[in-house]
Amino acid sequence: MDIAKKVHMARAQNFRGIEYGSRQTFEIMRAGFYRLIRWIRTLQAEHGKKNVLFGLELTGHYWSPLTHS
């Protein structure tokens, strides 16, 4: 996930680098973070995955709201 000032961007891929779906953008608000979680759960169901390893590219302090949602 690429953390930015107003909108974050996320991509999903497997351990081989094969991308699942297309990249998604999420607002830096609680509703945006809930949309991110729903997107992740949808991809898990579509691809039969139980576990998620989530990576963040941290830019300044803009990651902070994500940790408090």
Side-chain angles (χ1 to χ4, degrees):
M1 181 168 184
D2 183 22
I3 302 295
K5 186 174 183 178
K6 295 182 180 180
V7 177
H8 303 315
M9 194 269 299
R11 296 176 65 188
Q13 64 186 42
N14 69 10
F15 69 97
R16 292 188 174 122
I18 297 171
E19 192 168 353
Y20 294 141
S22 58
R23 67 182 178 152
Q24 300 289 312
T25 57
F26 303 91
E27 308 81 32
I28 188 169
M29 300 169 66
R30 189 175 303 255
F33 297 138
Y34 287 142
R35 225 172 54 107
L36 169 64
I37 298 300
R38 284 193 306 272
W39 178 67
I40 291 170
R41 289 182 179 159
T42 299
L43 289 175
Q44 281 182 280
E46 288 176 0
H47 298 281
K49 303 297 181 188
K50 293 183 180 180
N51 299 309
V52 172
L53 177 62
F54 197 80
L56 300 174
E57 177 274 324
L58 302 180
T59 303
H61 64 281
Y62 300 122
W63 58 270
S64 185
L66 181 60
T67 64
H68 299 290
S69 291

